[in-house]
Amino acid sequence: MSIIRLALLTLLGFVPAAAHSQPASSAAELIHDLRRGGYVIVFRHGATTLDPKSTDPMSTKNIAAERQLTDQGRAQAKTIGESMRKLNIPVGLVLTSTTQRAVDTATLLGLGEVTATTDLTESGSAVPPDENNRRTQAFRRLVAGRPPADNNLVVVSHKPNIVDAFGKDWLDVREGEASVFEPDGDGGYKLIVRIQASEWGKLAEPQN
């Protein structure tokens, strides 16, 4: 288990038995690493409405027919962004799916100018297989690219894209959840930690 992962688990009170033999770590180490930059922070969009009668997940023209962020989802994005700013975590670029719930999430984070791209737009059965595969490969290349020095890249996308790009371990990815990846500079990357939407506020609390 990485130090940054252990730091978060320790902070939140969930330390696996196997971790007890390792040196104690602090939330400060987690924040220090993110402040240095060089990470790609991948978010699933915030909490949404679930009424299938009023949703059209593949729509890019009829915004009113898409699943929308709930009040909870909007609050999640605002709180995450406020926490990241309070923690002085630098963000050089924010990329998002073109789907409205993702654009709204990225905008409400308030971390900088938002750029929408079809590379991150929701995949699924309504999209041709070749296009799904293209988006998957584009997503992986994006995460493998090293962000500019002293900055992090923030990405907002969807569960199908995240699962396709990173595997079945993300089948349980929640709305508003972040996965922090570190590019290795050689076309690869590794997962550092997954952070639930509710955990950002805890990270931003003063540490004794």
Side-chain angles (χ1 to χ4, degrees):
M1 177 179 295
S2 68
I3 290 178
I4 195 169
R5 175 68 170 172
L6 179 59
L8 181 61
L9 293 174
T10 303
L11 170 68
L12 300 175
F14 301 106
V15 182
H20 288 298
S21 61
Q22 300 187 32
S25 189
S26 69
E29 293 176 3
L30 168 64
I31 303 309
H32 172 73
D33 283 346
L34 290 176
R35 284 175 178 163
R36 288 186 308 163
Y39 295 91
V40 181
I41 306 173
V42 175
F43 287 95
R44 184 183 175 191
H45 59 74
T48 59
T49 56
L50 296 176
D51 180 5
K53 295 180 181 179
S54 64
T55 62
D56 177 7
M58 295 303 148
S59 173
T60 58
K61 297 180 180 179
N62 186 5
I63 293 174
E66 295 179 11
R67 274 170 40 213
Q68 302 293 320
L69 293 183
T70 60
D71 289 344
Q72 177 191 357
R74 300 178 73 82
Q76 281 177 338
K78 289 180 180 178
T79 299
I80 292 168
E82 289 169 359
S83 298
M84 291 180 68
R85 290 192 297 275
K86 185 182 294 185
L87 291 165
N88 296 316
I89 296 173
V91 175
L93 183 63
V94 180
L95 298 178
T96 178
S97 155
T98 60
T99 306
Q100 194 62 40
R101 58 187 177 275
V103 172
D104 287 345
T105 299
T107 302
L108 289 166
L109 288 171
L111 298 173
E113 183 177 352
V114 173
T115 301
T117 171
T118 55
D119 288 349
L120 299 170
T121 299
E122 188 172 12
S123 298
S125 59
V127 179
D130 286 350
E131 175 60 14
N132 278 330
N133 183 63
R134 188 196 69 78
R135 294 180 187 182
T136 297
Q137 298 306 318
F139 202 163
R140 289 174 180 162
R141 287 194 299 271
L142 186 63
V143 173
R146 189 179 291 278
D150 303 322
N151 270 305
N152 299 291
L153 168 64
V154 165
V155 173
V156 181
S157 192
H158 305 268
K159 179 178 179 177
N161 305 61
I162 293 170
V163 172
D164 287 349
F166 309 120
K168 294 182 179 179
D169 285 347
W170 276 264
L171 285 171
D172 62 350
V173 64
R174 298 179 183 178
E175 292 178 318
E177 180 179 333
S179 298
V180 180
F181 293 94
E182 182 179 16
D184 62 13
D186 194 31
Y189 51 83
K190 64 180 179 180
L191 174 70
I192 299 301
V193 68
R194 289 170 61 175
I195 306 175
Q196 297 302 324
S198 61
E199 293 170 353
W200 287 98
K202 299 175 185 178
L203 289 173
E205 292 175 354
Q207 302 300 310
N208 296 325

